[in-house]
Amino acid sequence: MGRSKRNKYNNENKKGHYKKDHSYIDFSDEDASGMYDDDHISIASSSSGEISNDSTGKQEEDFIALTEEVVDDRSRQQKRFEERAQLKRKRDETDEEEDENASFENRFCYPWIEFMNLSRFKQPLSAHRLLQREVTCFLQYLEPTDIEIKLRHYLVHRIRLAITEKWPEASVDVFGSFSTDLYLPNSDIDIVVQFPPSTQIRLRRIASCLEAEEICRDPQIIEHASVPVIKFEDVMTKLKVDIILNSTSGIDSANMIQSMIQKYPGVRPIALIVKYLLSLRHMNEVFTGGLGGYAVVCLVVSFLQMHPKVASGQIDPMQNLGVLILDFFQLYGINFNMDVVGVCVNDNGSYYDKSHVMSRDGRPVFSIRDPQDERNDIGMKSYNSSVVVRSFKFAYLAMTNKAFLLEQELKRNNYMHLDSSTVKNPKSVSILGSFLHISTEFMKQRELMNNVYDEKRWSEQSAASSFNFK
């Protein structure tokens, strides 16, 4: 403790302790009490170096006591055994969590995988056959259910009834994807209301009429757009509706799309998948710079017209949807020169030089001649076409990479089966899942439609008495 070098003074009659902050407490007086001996260091004399005894004769120790160290008396073998048991428990917990995640993905993100029935596939297997089957299952899942179809028709019936009861001379017609059977469960409904030339009706009056019938609340009226429109959401089904006035172009386009679907097998399934991809990327609306349904159909038709094996009749598009979708994304995502090549679907289809055609802000766009009017360019307003192209490119690269991995796995298993770990995880076995999933909006809309139908929420509406729900 280095006592010998300190200043020497007579300390014989003092009894005390150093506190933990090194300050000395003299408690020679009997009143000094309450100190714990193990909480301090006691020094009798700085000169003698002797350790003093307290009033009870107990010898103080010249050190600070530390907590007693816990001795691990387990053998090395026992330690290893317990460490391995702990690691196994962690692995089991991780496996359970992965199984729960896979179950969640199977139910919500990739539900179409349930339709594939991999155990029923005839051998030998191939990535090509898996893709074809998956495309069929995905389309099956995308198809609107009978309930969704019925409730859409009922909504149109309510709107038509509300308008024609107030204006008997009006005609209410559907156009767009609902009329061409190219709609998704959460797609908008497009309606045109036509009046005789002698009748002048403003959009605001129609909106007020629909509000009075409790079809919508707070509709958005856009009167100064190139095509004035009422936008609203149905109160009961939450379906979105667009209504325009006195225009026949939408109906004419719908008729043209229907004729192309009938003429070219494969247009509808390919267009549905492309439309769904664009909806996930929020690139399916022209006013946001994306591609509308009419433009998508024309691109698909042109693709089939210019595809050598389809045009020559070597393959049936409906039996080769998987590879054709892959080819579509390769063409428009990688190979197609959007800057200088335009698309025309009239007759047997052709390309044309469009190097002089740019969007209003100078961005490259898809140039697509309207098959009804060659002076009209359907793609001109799609100013975010480059984003659409990147989406197609990513889809192609993701699909080819996943198909290659599955093919390699099948090869290791002599093309008899996939690994059990792959089959358990829907994302691992899915090729389309490499760039597609079922959105939350899609699932909520489908669930809502089922609830509306099961609960018969239309029962108090007057329009229900004139509609057949069976």
Side-chain angles (χ1 to χ4, degrees):
M1 300 273 309
R3 302 186 188 93
S4 59
K5 299 298 183 180
R6 298 182 181 177
N7 294 329
K8 297 182 180 181
Y9 57 89
N10 189 357
N11 206 28
E12 294 177 356
N13 295 325
K14 289 186 177 182
K15 291 184 180 180
H17 296 284
Y18 281 100
K19 293 172 63 178
K20 288 183 178 180
D21 61 356
H22 304 290
S23 61
Y24 183 79
I25 299 297
D26 184 1
F27 56 94
S28 301
D29 190 352
E30 293 180 356
D31 291 337
S33 60
M35 297 293 294
Y36 290 90
D37 290 341
D38 56 356
D39 279 345
H40 52 258
I41 302 174
S42 177
I43 302 178
S45 173
S46 59
S47 60
S48 63
E50 297 177 359
I51 300 176
S52 67
N53 294 335
D54 61 14
S55 59
T56 61
K58 181 179 178 181
Q59 186 176 4
E60 293 290 338
E61 296 180 354
D62 191 14
F63 64 90
I64 301 177
L66 301 178
T67 304
E68 183 179 358
E69 183 178 357
V70 178
V71 179
D72 189 349
D73 58 356
R74 295 177 299 170
S75 66
R76 185 165 54 184
Q77 183 178 5
Q78 186 178 3
K79 290 180 182 178
R80 289 181 178 176
F81 176 80
E82 292 179 1
E83 288 174 356
R84 289 171 182 170
Q86 186 177 4
L87 289 174
K88 184 178 184 301
R89 285 194 299 271
K90 289 182 178 180
R91 283 196 299 267
D92 292 341
E93 291 174 359
T94 302
D95 291 342
E96 290 177 4
E97 185 177 351
E98 289 178 353
D99 290 342
E100 290 177 1
N101 291 338
S103 176
F104 175 83
E105 288 181 340
N106 190 34
R107 290 179 56 199
F108 297 103
C109 296
Y110 314 101
W112 66 89
I113 298 298
E114 294 181 359
F115 301 157
M116 289 188 65
N117 294 325
L118 293 173
S119 59
R120 291 185 158 185
F121 265 74
K122 293 182 179 179
Q123 298 165 341
L125 298 177
S126 67
H128 173 267
R129 290 182 59 205
L130 289 175
L131 176 58
Q132 178 65 21
R133 174 62 180 164
E134 185 179 1
V135 167
T136 303
C137 293
F138 183 77
L139 291 168
Q140 180 183 347
Y141 187 82
L142 277 189
E143 288 287 353
T145 64
D146 292 339
I147 290 175
E148 291 166 350
I149 295 171
K150 186 71 68 176
L151 289 178
R152 280 176 172 266
H153 281 294
Y154 176 60
L155 176 55
V156 174
H157 171 74
R158 287 186 69 199
I159 294 172
R160 180 179 287 117
L161 200 61
I163 293 175
T164 55
E165 282 183 351
K166 190 172 184 63
W167 298 284
E169 70 276 15
S171 64
V172 179
D173 298 295
V174 176
F175 67 98
S177 61
F178 187 39
S179 65
T180 59
D181 201 25
L182 280 173
Y183 63 98
L184 303 169
N186 54 343
S187 292
D188 299 352
I189 296 178
D190 298 306
I191 293 177
V192 56
V193 181
Q194 300 188 70
F195 292 93
S198 58
T199 305
Q200 298 295 322
I201 301 295
R202 295 178 65 86
L203 287 174
R204 195 168 297 279
R205 292 188 61 189
I206 296 178
S208 299
C209 171
L210 298 176
E211 280 189 284
E213 292 296 323
E214 297 183 348
I215 295 173
C216 64
R217 297 190 184 99
D218 299 323
Q220 182 183 9
I221 303 170
I222 306 175
E223 292 184 304
H224 302 292
S226 56
V227 179
V229 62
I230 305 173
K231 288 180 171 288
F232 64 87
E233 183 180 84
D234 175 39
V235 173
M236 184 175 70
T237 63
K238 306 301 180 185
L239 289 171
K240 293 179 174 57
V241 181
D242 292 349
I243 296 180
I244 63 174
L245 287 180
N246 300 324
S247 174
T248 60
S249 60
I251 296 176
D252 294 339
S253 298
N255 292 334
M256 174 60 67
I257 290 173
Q258 287 177 328
S259 67
M260 289 190 290
I261 289 175
Q262 293 175 358
K263 184 176 180 180
Y264 298 100
V267 168
R268 183 176 180 272
I270 296 175
L272 277 174
I273 291 179
V274 174
K275 287 185 66 175
Y276 185 72
L277 169 62
L278 294 178
S279 71
L280 285 179
R281 304 294 187 268
H282 303 290
M283 284 287 106
N284 59 326
E285 298 287 354
V286 175
F287 70 87
T288 61
L291 288 179
Y294 194 14
V296 169
V297 170
C298 288
L299 287 180
V300 174
V301 169
S302 175
F303 161 73
L304 294 175
Q305 288 173 332
M306 309 302 287
H307 195 288
K309 291 190 176 181
V310 175
S312 62
Q314 295 181 48
I315 62 173
D316 178 1
M318 296 303 292
Q319 299 302 317
N320 293 274
L321 291 174
V323 69
L324 287 178
I325 289 170
L326 196 62
D327 288 346
F328 176 91
F329 289 140
Q330 182 184 29
L331 172 64
Y332 292 114
I334 296 178
N335 296 334
F336 191 80
N337 192 340
M338 186 173 58
D339 294 333
V340 297
V341 179
V343 169
C344 177
V345 298
N346 285 330
D347 300 323
N348 293 323
S350 61
Y351 293 140
Y352 62 88
D353 179 14
K354 52 124 318 183
S355 54
H356 60 286
V357 179
M358 301 289 286
S359 66
R360 283 176 294 183
D361 59 357
R363 301 182 189 179
V365 294
F366 282 109
S367 186
I368 307 168
R369 283 180 182 167
D370 188 341
Q372 302 173 94
D373 181 6
E374 292 191 356
R375 295 169 299 177
N376 181 36
D377 191 333
I378 301 173
M380 174 61 68
K381 297 180 180 179
S382 300
Y383 55 86
N384 274 328
S385 292
S386 57
V387 179
V388 173
V389 170
R390 287 199 297 270
S391 297
F392 290 165
K393 180 179 180 179
F394 176 79
Y396 171 74
L397 295 176
M399 287 181 71
T400 51
N401 180 65
K402 191 55 177 290
F404 174 78
L405 293 176
L406 289 176
E407 189 70 19
Q408 291 294 101
E409 185 175 316
L410 289 170
K411 184 178 180 181
R412 291 196 305 268
N413 297 324
N414 296 320
Y415 298 98
M416 302 299 286
H417 61 82
L418 291 168
D419 295 341
S420 59
S421 59
T422 301
V423 176
K424 283 182 181 180
N425 190 335
K427 188 173 183 180
S428 296
V429 77
S430 174
I431 297 176
L432 294 180
S434 60
F435 70 100
L436 288 178
H437 66 276
I438 298 301
S439 66
T440 303
E441 179 188 4
F442 184 107
M443 297 294 294
K444 287 182 177 179
Q445 184 62 51
R446 177 157 282 182
E447 181 181 9
L448 174 62
M449 299 290 267
N450 289 335
N451 292 339
V452 168
Y453 193 84
D454 291 341
E455 298 169 10
K456 294 181 172 55
R457 298 184 187 177
W458 60 81
S459 57
E460 301 297 325
Q461 299 170 358
S462 59
S465 60
S466 56
F467 185 80
N468 182 15
F469 284 94
K470 296 181 180 179

